[in-house]
Amino acid sequence: MIRFLALVLALLLAACGSTPKKPEPGSTSPKYYQDDGPPEAVPDNLGEVPDAVPRDEPFHKYANRPYTVFGQTYVPVVNKEPTKERGLASWYGRKFHGQKTSSGEVYDMFAMTAAHKTLPIPSYAKVTNVKTGKSVVVRVNDRGPFHSNRIIDLSYAAAARIGILSAGSGMVEVERILPGPDGEIVATAAAPVVTAPAAPVVKTPVVAAEGTAMWLQLGAFSSLEGAESFRTHVVAELTWVNEPIEVVSHDGLHRVRMGPYRNLEEAAAIGDKVRRSLGVAPALIQR
């Protein structure tokens, strides 16, 4: 994800003249991603933006490879099986508008798109606000969100359609939509609903010991663009970090890391703060 996310990570991701802070995982107060928010001006026709139209598209060559973020490995789906899941949706806006998504496409916050951790890129999903019943069909073209309690990141337009803009997040049901051979939509109502489980609390692990410099590895990607996008997301989220957050490429992998740290205790303390801020644990490595 752009925020790493959209990610990247992003990245995941100042609204109306202010810069709202992102609360600790579990908070239900209104929020946006750090340094993100709505556009300076909302198009007059925002309410007329149509749903994404499902098409039979080939899966992206690189965006569906397994990848690791914050020490957790994700294996994207590369089939056409119906799926349903229920959990929190969030949204991302102007911070990532115009940046590349995991698919290489440019993110347009006024289009009906979304970021998902494992649905194929590209694919389509119907997202329904559980509280109000409002729904929207989006095209998945990005990765994220990488917060333990969220299952999908919507574009600004999609979030507006289902009414979760002001709250920043909302409980939704995500149902994969499959285009039929003649353009018709294949119903997926028979798919079981999977509720996203709460992520366990994990201490920062030491996964390599090859030297004296200590680093915190936040993610590893096969795509340099994906790593750079996730790095942007992390920088926006972890505004308190003093150490450089960089992308290091080696053996075909592009790793997002922060550091170095002087000793194990310092690295572990920062790693624990990262975990509390983002809800996931980075990997502690030595080089």
Side-chain angles (χ1 to χ4, degrees):
M1 153 171 176
I2 301 171
R3 16 160 269 14
F4 69 46
L5 355 69
L7 162 227
V8 74
L9 111 96
L11 42 213
L12 7 125
L13 335 154
C16 300
S18 64
T19 303
K21 299 296 184 180
K22 186 174 193 306
E24 293 294 317
S27 170
T28 57
S29 61
K31 69 278 188 185
Y32 311 105
Y33 286 102
Q34 182 72 37
D35 296 331
D36 194 12
E40 297 294 338
V42 178
D44 293 336
N45 66 341
L46 183 66
E48 301 172 8
V49 176
D51 286 2
V53 178
R55 297 185 291 118
D56 190 8
E57 301 179 76
F59 295 149
H60 194 280
K61 184 176 180 180
Y62 302 109
N64 294 300
R65 292 175 175 177
Y67 63 97
T68 301
V69 179
F70 296 126
Q72 182 172 347
T73 298
Y74 299 91
V75 181
V77 175
V78 286
N79 61 35
K80 296 185 178 181
E81 298 293 329
T83 58
K84 271 188 183 182
E85 60 181 332
R86 180 172 293 196
L88 280 178
S90 49
W91 60 272
Y92 55 126
R94 69 168 179 258
K95 177 71 175 180
F96 302 97
H97 185 66
Q99 296 189 31
K100 286 188 176 181
T101 64
S102 297
S103 66
E105 300 168 356
V106 174
Y107 173 59
D108 181 356
M109 63 177 162
F110 303 124
M112 295 302 186
T113 62
H116 193 277
K117 291 185 279 286
T118 57
L119 281 177
I121 291 178
S123 61
Y124 298 83
K126 180 181 179 181
V127 183
T128 303
N129 185 327
V130 173
K131 183 177 181 180
T132 66
K134 294 181 178 179
S135 64
V136 64
V137 177
V138 295
R139 182 173 180 268
V140 177
N141 67 349
D142 207 356
R143 290 292 175 222
F146 298 103
H147 302 275
S148 59
N149 64 340
R150 301 182 191 180
I151 63 171
I152 195 168
D153 261 356
L154 301 174
S155 67
Y156 180 85
R161 175 70 58 80
I162 66 171
I164 67 169
L165 280 180
S166 60
S169 64
M171 183 64 65
V172 300
E173 185 172 276
V174 178
E175 180 181 11
R176 186 175 177 186
I177 298 294
L178 302 172
D182 299 317
E184 74 273 14
I185 305 303
V186 178
T188 62
V193 176
V194 178
T195 301
V201 175
V202 181
K203 293 183 178 179
T204 302
V206 177
V207 299
E210 301 177 4
T212 57
M214 310 295 300
W215 303 81
L216 292 174
Q217 181 172 299
L218 307 180
F221 302 82
S222 60
S223 164
L224 178 59
E225 289 183 352
E228 292 287 359
S229 179
F230 180 60
R231 176 191 172 279
T232 300
H233 168 66
V234 172
V235 169
E237 291 289 310
L238 303 181
T239 56
W240 49 267
V241 171
N242 295 318
E243 299 77 26
I245 301 175
E246 59 186 8
V247 175
V248 177
S249 301
H250 183 66
D251 291 338
L253 280 180
H254 308 281
R255 297 173 171 86
V256 180
R257 70 180 188 180
M258 54 188 288
Y261 300 98
R262 293 169 295 182
N263 51 53
L264 177 64
E265 289 73 20
E266 181 184 32
I270 296 296
D272 190 55
K273 187 175 180 179
V274 170
R275 179 185 60 78
R276 293 197 305 271
S277 296
L278 298 175
V280 288
L284 181 61
I285 63 175
Q286 290 180 305
R287 298 294 182 197

